[in-house]
Amino acid sequence: MKIFLQFLGATRNVTGSSYLLEVNGKKILIDCGLYQERELRARNWNPFPVDPKSVDFVLLTHAHLDHCGLLPKFCREGFKGKIICTPPTEQIAKIVLLDAAHIQEEDAHFKKKRHEREGRKGPYPEIPLYTREDVEKVFPLFETIEYEEPFRIDNLINISLHDAGHILGSAMIKIKINSGDSEIVILFSGDVGRWNKPIIRDPSMFEMADYIIVESTYGDRIHEDPSNIKNILSEIINSTDKKGGNVIIPSFAVERTQELLYYLSELLYEDKIPHLLTFVDSPMAISVTEVFKNNEKYFDEDMLRRTYSDNSPFYFSTLKLTKSSEESKMINHIRSSCIIIAGSGMCTGGRIKHHLVHNISRPECTILFIGYQARGTLGREILKKPKEVRIHGKMHQVKANITQINGLSAHADQSELLKWLSGFKLPPKKLFIVHGENDVSLKFADIIHERYSWNVSVPQYLDKFTLA
Ligand SMILES: [Zn+2]
């Protein structure tokens, strides 16, 4: 029996998750993620380290782009096998991939025009990484299985998916390999979620695995206490309402928007905020919210109870889902006391830019950030509270109140990652630490080594290990 594990991404960096498991020649790819760090984006364009034609299965942990975003290219270049994931992951991945293709097509178009105007050539070709057509060719390859339901890859390999508590449908992947007289268990953590997060269930715990591949995004950090979120949110909404302004919230379409609606509906139910018109002004966030509505069986008990009471986060009376651009433009006329949730989450595109144009120069309004703002994004720039910012090619004075809530991360922090690892009763043969910035992964490795004296490794890009 020969088992190899090769690290094709998210090694000493956070995005581009992809791992190749080879068992007696059968090739299984775990995740096929897009690189999003500026300095690593060239890898999206490079040939895959493994020939897609030679891969038999792709197992998908969840629908975030950094885990599924290279699937259209992988399929275009010859992958013909099955993509195994949970039903919500399939549904959300389709939305996310179509949106990604749209952005890439648009970007390529604008870049081409700009380069023509400037008479120069950029470092990458002015073509989209993939198109809508490429994305649609991925869809027939999806095959869904439920959590905890065993799936047979062949007579030696069985896999199962387990709730990761990160986003709806997210999974940890357990792979059991029959090696004659014994069994080898390999466990991929995917993105580890959080305990007591709204809507979805807690991360699954495990007692035993021979090899563990664990993420480490926040391996060096403790998140802010989430119990403050509601208080801060209510304070911001009430004070902005008193001033007669709007609350503008740039939000990510997947999970973050739904979680925000959860908190808003709870504040309304508890009568802590006034009944303000609340717009979800993002076709993508609306589509993802539909997926949530159609997948109640993945909710936790609290969310299920709310769904069947008059306290559902997705159905309160002042909630308006504006899909068409005509409806969206109508919002521009509302000068006071509404809440506008729109994408993109870092203000790099989408309808949020229009709402910023209409509200950022008004001192009575609030721009509320609820997610991480990467370097080089408009969101990051606004957070620095400059005197003015450029939006859609025009300068706008920044007079609105600019503020941020930090406790909404979908990732386990250091204490939660350690809690997850504390479930294992026996040391693994090896623990691989991935999906973290270099220093963070190394620091987390030290902590685990000190605490458990386990055999820990922080692999480099393309490192290959023999597991059996
Ligand atoms: Zn994720």
Side-chain angles (χ1 to χ4, degrees):
M1 163 134 306
K2 283 263 174 264
I3 306 176
F4 300 107
L5 176 62
Q6 193 179 14
F7 293 83
L8 309 187
T11 45
R12 303 189 180 220
N13 76 292
V14 178
T15 67
S17 276
S18 194
Y19 316 104
L20 181 68
L21 184 68
E22 231 181 302
V23 183
N24 282 355
K26 177 138 291 183
K27 287 184 184 161
I28 302 168
L29 192 74
I30 293 89
D31 285 344
C32 189
L34 187 79
Y35 282 94
Q36 292 170 308
E37 288 104 337
R38 195 176 291 264
E39 63 276 18
L40 293 174
R41 275 185 221 160
R43 285 191 194 163
N44 293 329
W45 293 91
N46 292 347
F48 287 101
V50 56
D51 179 5
K53 286 190 210 80
S54 71
V55 174
D56 301 283
F57 284 90
V58 174
L59 315 180
L60 215 54
T61 60
H62 66 291
H64 275 148
L65 266 192
D66 64 317
H67 293 258
C68 71
L70 277 184
L71 277 174
K73 186 179 171 235
F74 199 68
C75 295
R76 190 181 63 209
E77 293 181 8
F79 174 69
K80 294 270 186 300
K82 284 178 184 162
I83 303 166
I84 311 291
C85 62
T86 65
T89 294
E90 177 193 355
Q91 292 159 38
I92 299 171
K94 285 178 174 173
I95 298 167
V96 164
L97 291 174
L98 284 172
D99 180 71
H102 178 69
I103 291 171
Q104 283 157 18
E105 286 173 17
E106 250 183 17
D107 278 359
H109 175 73
F110 286 123
K111 213 175 270 172
K112 192 160 186 235
K113 269 172 107 180
R114 196 174 69 229
H115 289 163
E116 274 168 10
R117 207 170 48 233
E118 295 166 358
R120 66 183 182 95
K121 259 190 147 53
Y124 309 119
E126 294 141 342
I127 50 165
L129 183 62
Y130 48 81
T131 62
R132 187 188 173 95
E133 247 187 349
D134 296 324
V135 170
E136 281 167 353
K137 286 183 185 146
V138 176
F139 294 175
L141 304 183
F142 279 112
E143 181 164 332
T144 61
I145 55 172
E146 295 297 338
Y147 288 132
E148 318 284 333
E149 177 190 329
F151 178 86
R152 193 167 166 272
I153 296 273
D154 63 17
N155 54 5
L156 293 180
I157 313 166
N158 275 286
I159 66 140
S160 51
L161 306 179
H162 306 263
D163 202 330
H166 171 61
I167 63 170
L168 195 77
S170 65
M172 298 172 175
I173 300 179
K174 191 197 246 183
I175 302 178
K176 285 188 197 172
I177 302 164
N178 184 342
S179 68
D181 42 352
S182 66
E183 191 178 65
I184 296 168
V185 177
I186 305 168
L187 187 66
F188 291 86
S189 76
D191 284 2
V192 180
R194 308 186 64 189
W195 279 262
N196 302 318
K197 212 173 134 56
I199 306 175
I200 55 175
R201 296 189 203 121
D202 291 346
S204 306
M205 299 281 284
F206 300 85
E207 293 187 357
M208 185 269 156
D210 295 291
Y211 296 95
I212 304 169
I213 297 89
V214 68
E215 69 122 326
S216 59
T217 317
Y218 292 113
D220 65 337
R221 229 177 299 172
I222 304 292
H223 289 319
E224 243 173 63
D225 182 1
S227 59
N228 285 332
I229 292 170
K230 266 170 62 188
N231 293 339
I232 305 172
L233 197 55
S234 112
E235 201 275 315
I236 290 166
I237 293 168
N238 280 302
S239 63
T240 311
D241 178 44
K242 265 187 210 121
K243 287 190 285 182
N246 294 328
V247 182
I248 312 297
I249 311 180
S251 181
F252 300 99
V254 180
E255 202 74 26
R256 197 61 53 91
T257 294
Q258 294 77 29
E259 206 172 318
L260 182 63
L261 293 177
Y262 174 97
Y263 286 118
L264 289 173
S265 70
E266 196 168 53
L267 287 170
L268 280 170
Y269 190 72
E270 293 167 357
D271 223 7
K272 290 197 175 128
I273 55 171
H275 288 255
L276 308 180
L277 279 178
T278 302
F279 296 95
V280 174
D281 189 29
S282 153
M284 188 181 169
I286 295 169
S287 301
V288 176
T289 305
E290 284 303 315
V291 174
F292 274 67
K293 288 180 187 172
N294 294 331
N295 283 283
E296 286 169 8
K297 71 172 182 185
Y298 302 94
F299 292 169
D300 65 11
E301 271 176 41
D302 156 78
M303 181 65 185
L304 266 180
R305 206 173 44 244
R306 280 161 198 254
T307 304
Y308 291 103
S309 71
D310 52 355
N311 185 18
S312 165
F314 305 142
Y315 291 101
F316 54 90
S317 64
T318 46
L319 177 62
K320 306 285 171 224
L321 307 177
T322 45
K323 231 172 185 165
S324 72
S325 55
E326 288 73 33
E327 287 173 297
S328 172
K329 280 176 194 149
M330 298 277 281
I331 306 173
N332 295 339
H333 302 296
I334 304 177
R335 299 290 289 170
S336 71
S337 298
C338 73
I339 299 168
I340 304 168
I341 304 162
S344 70
M346 299 190 198
C347 310
T348 48
R351 293 180 179 173
I352 190 68
K353 286 186 151 183
H354 297 281
H355 298 301
L356 289 171
V357 165
H358 284 273
N359 293 280
I360 202 165
S361 304
R362 300 173 55 214
E364 62 273 31
C365 294
T366 298
I367 316 295
L368 168 61
F369 290 93
I370 55 169
Y372 176 72
Q373 304 297 309
R375 262 179 295 139
T377 60
L378 176 60
R380 179 76 155 247
E381 205 184 321
I382 293 173
L383 262 182
K384 288 186 213 149
K385 303 181 188 178
K387 280 213 164 65
E388 46 181 17
V389 284
R390 183 185 294 274
I391 308 170
H392 287 153
K394 272 197 190 138
M395 296 310 283
H396 296 269
Q397 289 196 316
V398 179
K399 290 194 171 161
N401 171 35
I402 311 293
T403 185
Q404 189 173 25
I405 296 180
N406 283 318
L408 282 153
S409 177
H411 280 273
D413 65 7
Q414 188 190 71
S415 65
E416 290 162 316
L417 287 171
L418 289 171
K419 174 175 176 166
W420 186 71
L421 289 171
S422 74
F424 293 93
K425 298 260 161 68
L426 289 169
K429 290 195 179 104
K430 207 187 225 344
L431 174 83
F432 297 99
I433 297 178
V434 296
H435 201 294
E437 283 172 14
N438 187 49
D439 298 350
V440 178
S441 293
L442 290 172
K443 192 172 164 192
F444 190 55
D446 283 344
I447 293 168
I448 295 167
H449 189 73
E450 260 170 47
R451 188 175 286 208
Y452 299 114
S453 343
W454 288 357
N455 181 356
V456 181
S457 168
V458 185
Q460 300 271 9
Y461 181 53
L462 299 184
D463 274 356
K464 190 170 178 175
F465 294 81
T466 304
L467 306 190

